[in-house]
Amino acid sequence: MPVLFELQYNPPTTFFAELLGKDALWLEQHEHYHKQTYRNRCLILTAQGVQPLTVPVVDGNRSEKVPIRNLEIDYRQNWVHRHWRTLQTAYGGSPYFAYYADYLHDIYVQKFPLLFDLNLTLLQFYLRCLRLRLPVEFTTDYHPTYASTAVHDRRDWLTPKSPTNPEPDRTSVRPYAHTFGASFVPGLSILDLLFMQGPAAGSFLA
């Protein structure tokens, strides 16, 4: 059965764990943008604890009326520099930061006009890194719900906010050591797992 997700910015590891054993990944491209979600933010671990990185979007006040496929990134704010410096500070000493840094930096400096295209390019990179070889398809129109036999609908299943459903951000990956702290922290971006485990990252998803 395929699984349906919204397209997320540097998704949490749980996103990728949910792809295991699925026939295909469907990406929702006909929804409207939702604020304060993983669509434009991710969570990383710093010396100060868990920190969100948020991509600013144009017309923030009316952004939820904009189709996600058309939502523009706001480059009037120097967010690329800020995100990259934060990642360097948080993960520069991790085992595999240098292994992935050039590839990621090349994506960031392209300055994609649209959030959807940035997120898609990052997702394709992570799928290659994790050796997840499932077809990626896009919705052809918007459906609020799907029959349970058609697709496993995981839209808005994961949220960086206080959850209202019982299982978002669940620990569905095998615990691993972080750069900071002694305890495993669930819900972090896939970047944390890649920087810590490198090519072995995919084995922690099961």
Side-chain angles (χ1 to χ4, degrees):
M1 178 182 293
V3 61
L4 171 64
F5 269 106
E6 74 278 10
L7 194 49
Q8 303 175 4
Y9 174 62
N10 295 329
T13 53
T14 308
F15 175 102
F16 295 95
E18 194 68 10
L19 303 184
L20 298 179
K22 299 300 190 297
D23 298 328
L25 168 60
W26 290 7
L27 295 173
E28 177 61 73
Q29 67 170 351
H30 290 281
E31 64 173 4
H32 283 84
Y33 170 69
H34 297 178
K35 291 181 180 179
Q36 299 182 353
T37 66
Y38 284 129
R39 289 166 179 80
N40 70 320
R41 73 176 58 186
C42 67
L43 301 179
I44 65 166
L45 188 62
T46 72
Q48 289 73 43
V50 177
Q51 177 177 331
L53 295 179
T54 302
V55 179
V57 296
V58 173
D59 290 333
N61 290 334
R62 60 177 297 274
S63 56
E64 291 190 293
K65 298 180 180 179
V66 179
I68 192 65
R69 199 66 182 82
N70 301 330
L71 190 69
E72 297 179 65
I73 298 173
D74 187 354
Y75 285 100
R76 292 172 296 181
Q77 305 180 45
N78 195 13
W79 70 270
V80 171
H81 176 75
R82 187 167 62 252
H83 284 207
W84 192 250
R85 286 298 300 272
T86 303
L87 290 174
Q88 286 179 313
T89 301
Y91 296 109
S94 63
Y96 291 95
F97 179 79
Y99 188 88
Y100 298 107
D102 288 346
Y103 298 103
L104 281 167
H105 190 260
D106 286 346
I107 294 174
Y108 275 99
V109 297
Q110 290 185 55
K111 290 191 172 181
F112 291 91
L114 301 179
L115 179 66
F116 194 93
D117 294 336
L118 169 65
N119 288 352
L120 180 60
T121 302
L122 287 167
L123 174 64
Q124 291 168 334
F125 172 68
Y126 299 137
L127 291 175
R128 291 196 299 272
C129 292
L130 297 167
R131 300 183 180 90
L132 292 173
R133 298 181 177 87
L134 74 170
V136 177
E137 303 174 15
F138 301 91
T139 57
T140 55
D141 48 22
Y142 183 75
H143 294 278
T145 60
Y146 284 83
S148 60
T149 55
V151 62
H152 194 194
D153 190 349
R154 284 305 201 188
R155 291 173 296 179
D156 290 309
W157 174 58
L158 298 169
T159 171
K161 300 183 295 182
S162 297
T164 55
N165 80 57
E167 55 173 346
D169 293 355
R170 61 185 172 82
T171 305
S172 65
V173 297
R174 184 154 53 92
Y176 59 93
H178 300 295
T179 302
F180 305 105
S183 301
F184 176 67
V185 181
L188 296 176
S189 166
I190 190 63
L191 288 171
D192 191 273
L193 177 59
L194 285 174
F195 291 152
M196 294 306 299
Q197 297 299 328
S203 66
F204 285 79
L205 298 178

